[in-house]
Amino acid sequence: MKKLLPIAFLSVLLISCSTQEKPISMDTLAVKYVKLVLEIGQYNSDFVDAYYGPEEWKPTGKKLDSIPIKEFISRAEGLMQSVSEIDVKDSSALLKGRKAMFTKQLTAIKTKLEMIAGKTYDFDKEAQLLYDAEPPHYTEEHFDQLLSKLDSLVPGEGSLTERFNEFANEFIIPKDKLDTVFRVAIAEARKRTLANVALPENENFMLEYVTGKNWSGYNYYQGNFESLIQINVDHPIYIERAIDLACHEGYPGHHVFNALLEKNLVVDKGWKEFSVYPLFSPQSLIAEGSANFGIEVAFPGKERVDYEKNVLFPLAGLDSTKADLYYKVLDIKGKLNYAGNEAARNYLNGKITKEEAAKWLEKYSLSTPERALQRTGFFDQYRSYVINYNLGKDIVANYVEANGGTADNPKKRWDIFKELLSNPKTASDLRVEGD
């Protein structure tokens, strides 16, 4: 015979169950996350790269004289704890990916707040916490071997850096041709992208030329599928940079990436955490890596060189007779781009001075003294962010190609690339066997 519970006890039990707090949802946490990121952005102009959420979520009122760093860290930790308690074990892979990325974005935000407060990390640890990636190390001998290959190719007299820059000067876009060349390059990149990627009908961009920056190009995503693309004209711009920047900042790079995230995740799914883009976060590795690999997706193999020689060279009024040698040199020089990471690592870890870092860049990146100094300014401002361009590209390329998106299968390449741009992923999600 079953023993009956007293009515009074049952009443208490029912009241307890009915008043038990329901688990907080990811959508509720997303709102708190966005507001936190926007508040931090009031105190650090680089912190928020883009925001296209509700206007009323933006901070109102006068900000404090000093950043309330302890409060911000506490709120970030609270969000991390709440996200960790959300059960997604029986959910779709997409929802699991959402939670995983949410957690890593919050880890990066907490890390950056600690750095603002004065905490220091070595270059590799900082990169891992902020961008979910482990930067590779290269020896000086590795770069010396590449310089040796270049030394036999680059014509002229003097040091290799002097000869390279004198040779490259033959391929500078004249200032009065710059706007024409860039607009034609962007139009071609856009045409190739729209043939493979469905974008919202109202997507658009504005193009501006600026000075006084530590970068060569920047995309300020405005929301509602619009971008402001800025090109820095402090230094001469070489002909190959037209396609580089057209693809990287525009199509199928940053503009397309942000538009797809806004359309597919914010508008269609209501995932409000993607309405804000904190710059120092894992999202940036995918953004920069896909923007650089996107150049090869849009202009595969020999197509790029042919287009530049047949279309952009004449527009710029440049002689293309030495173009084949120039591109052969650029191909080897491109393998030197990790030299910049080594300069940043040693400089930020305190092993070399800023002047020594600039000299390293002059030698191993073949930079002019002016460009080398500009690059060290980038190190000061953005620190380990430098890994996102080259390591990010390699991670994205390996992932796309490992999933069948090889150069000889362009449709599959575009399909994998679109899938990557439209879903929550970080570097560790893209690891393939052997990485």
Side-chain angles (χ1 to χ4, degrees):
M1 180 177 178
K2 294 181 180 178
K3 188 174 181 180
L4 298 177
L5 295 173
I7 293 176
F9 179 81
L10 285 172
S11 299
V12 171
L13 183 62
L14 288 171
I15 292 171
S16 173
C17 290
S18 64
T19 59
Q20 190 173 21
E21 193 173 308
K22 293 181 179 179
I24 196 165
S25 72
M26 199 102 72
D27 290 340
T28 300
L29 295 175
V31 176
K32 294 183 177 181
Y33 164 84
V34 171
K35 291 181 177 180
L36 172 61
V37 173
L38 292 177
E39 286 183 53
I40 299 168
Q42 286 185 293
Y43 298 89
N44 186 306
S45 60
D46 290 326
F47 199 87
V48 179
D49 190 71
Y51 175 63
Y52 37 89
E55 190 68 23
E56 61 269 22
W57 288 3
K58 291 182 178 179
T60 57
K62 187 178 179 181
K63 67 179 182 180
L64 302 175
D65 291 335
S66 60
I67 181 170
I69 200 77
K70 290 183 179 179
E71 177 201 335
F72 287 157
I73 291 175
S74 177
R75 286 165 63 183
E77 290 174 337
L79 285 170
M80 291 172 70
Q81 179 61 35
S82 296
V83 171
S84 72
E85 292 170 357
I86 294 177
D87 185 5
V88 294
K89 67 176 182 292
D90 295 324
S91 301
S92 65
L94 190 61
L95 286 175
K96 290 177 181 176
R98 182 189 184 188
K99 176 181 176 179
M101 185 165 185
F102 206 161
T103 301
K104 290 168 186 174
Q105 292 285 102
L106 282 165
T107 297
I109 287 167
K110 179 190 172 188
T111 299
K112 188 60 181 177
L113 285 169
E114 291 171 339
M115 291 170 63
I116 292 171
K119 188 170 183 177
T120 58
Y121 294 95
D122 68 39
F123 183 89
D124 289 0
K125 184 63 176 178
E126 177 187 313
Q128 191 273 322
L129 289 169
L130 292 180
Y131 308 115
D132 190 39
E134 299 177 9
H137 289 243
Y138 289 92
T139 64
E140 198 166 342
E141 289 73 24
H142 169 77
F143 301 120
D144 282 332
Q145 289 174 6
L146 293 170
L147 291 184
S148 180
K149 290 181 181 179
L150 283 172
D151 192 54
S152 61
L153 284 177
V154 180
E157 297 179 356
S159 71
L160 176 58
T161 299
E162 290 170 340
R163 283 185 284 133
F164 169 77
N165 284 288
E166 185 176 344
F167 182 44
N169 285 345
E170 298 180 36
F171 302 94
I172 292 173
I173 304 172
K175 285 191 175 181
D176 64 332
K177 308 283 189 182
L178 201 58
D179 186 59
T180 299
V181 171
F182 264 110
R183 290 190 184 278
V184 169
I186 292 175
E188 181 66 18
R190 183 175 186 269
K191 183 181 78 173
R192 289 167 177 249
T193 299
L194 291 179
N196 294 279
V197 181
L199 292 177
E201 288 185 5
N202 63 319
E203 65 85 18
N204 202 0
F205 70 92
M206 289 179 59
L207 182 62
E208 288 183 353
Y209 301 96
V210 299
T211 58
K213 305 296 183 181
N214 287 324
W215 37 258
S216 57
Y218 211 107
N219 179 302
Y220 291 97
Y221 189 68
Q222 309 292 295
N224 197 31
F225 318 118
E226 296 184 353
S227 289
L228 169 62
I229 296 174
Q230 291 187 338
I231 306 298
N232 184 7
V233 293
D234 276 337
H235 302 288
I237 297 178
Y238 303 92
I239 190 66
E240 74 277 4
R241 294 295 286 154
I243 291 296
D244 282 350
L245 292 168
C247 291
H248 184 100
E249 307 299 343
Y251 304 85
H254 293 325
H255 174 68
V256 172
F257 180 48
N258 283 306
L260 289 177
L261 287 182
E262 182 178 10
K263 173 65 170 63
N264 296 329
L265 300 186
V266 179
V267 176
D268 292 351
K269 292 186 171 60
W271 293 1
K272 298 300 185 185
E273 69 268 28
F274 288 96
S275 67
V276 69
Y277 173 9
L279 185 66
F280 305 101
S281 70
Q283 186 172 336
S284 280
L285 183 135
I286 305 300
E288 302 294 0
S290 63
N292 272 351
F293 182 61
I295 301 167
E296 297 177 18
V297 175
F299 291 86
K302 196 169 177 288
E303 285 186 32
R304 172 179 176 171
V305 175
D306 289 344
Y307 179 79
E308 290 178 341
K309 287 169 62 177
N310 295 330
V311 178
L312 298 187
F313 270 73
L315 279 177
L318 297 178
D319 180 1
S320 64
T321 56
K322 299 180 183 177
D324 289 337
L325 174 59
Y326 183 56
Y327 285 114
K328 188 174 182 180
V329 167
L330 288 181
D331 182 60
I332 298 173
K333 182 179 178 291
K335 296 171 184 176
L336 286 167
N337 61 21
Y338 275 99
N341 293 25
E342 297 301 330
R345 175 188 282 114
N346 289 325
Y347 169 51
L348 295 173
N349 286 349
K351 293 184 177 180
I352 59 176
T353 65
K354 187 170 187 172
E355 293 71 25
E356 289 169 332
K359 287 297 182 185
W360 173 279
L361 292 172
E362 288 178 40
K363 179 179 180 180
Y364 289 112
S365 295
L366 304 182
S367 299
T368 63
E370 295 78 17
R371 283 187 178 272
L373 192 60
Q374 180 195 46
R375 192 62 177 165
T376 59
F378 188 96
F379 299 163
D380 286 329
Q381 186 172 358
Y382 297 105
R383 298 184 56 83
S384 61
Y385 193 94
V386 296
I387 72 161
N388 295 327
Y389 299 100
N390 40 40
L391 178 58
K393 177 187 175 181
D394 288 347
I395 288 173
V396 169
N398 290 343
Y399 172 81
V400 172
E401 291 171 1
N403 283 277
T406 51
D408 59 353
N409 193 349
K411 184 181 182 305
K412 182 70 171 179
R413 174 174 275 197
W414 273 108
D415 288 343
I416 299 298
F417 190 71
K418 284 185 293 185
E419 183 270 340
L420 170 62
L421 297 187
S422 303
N423 291 285
K425 293 185 184 294
T426 70
S428 58
D429 298 321
L430 306 186
R431 286 200 189 104
V432 296
E433 190 173 345
D435 275 4

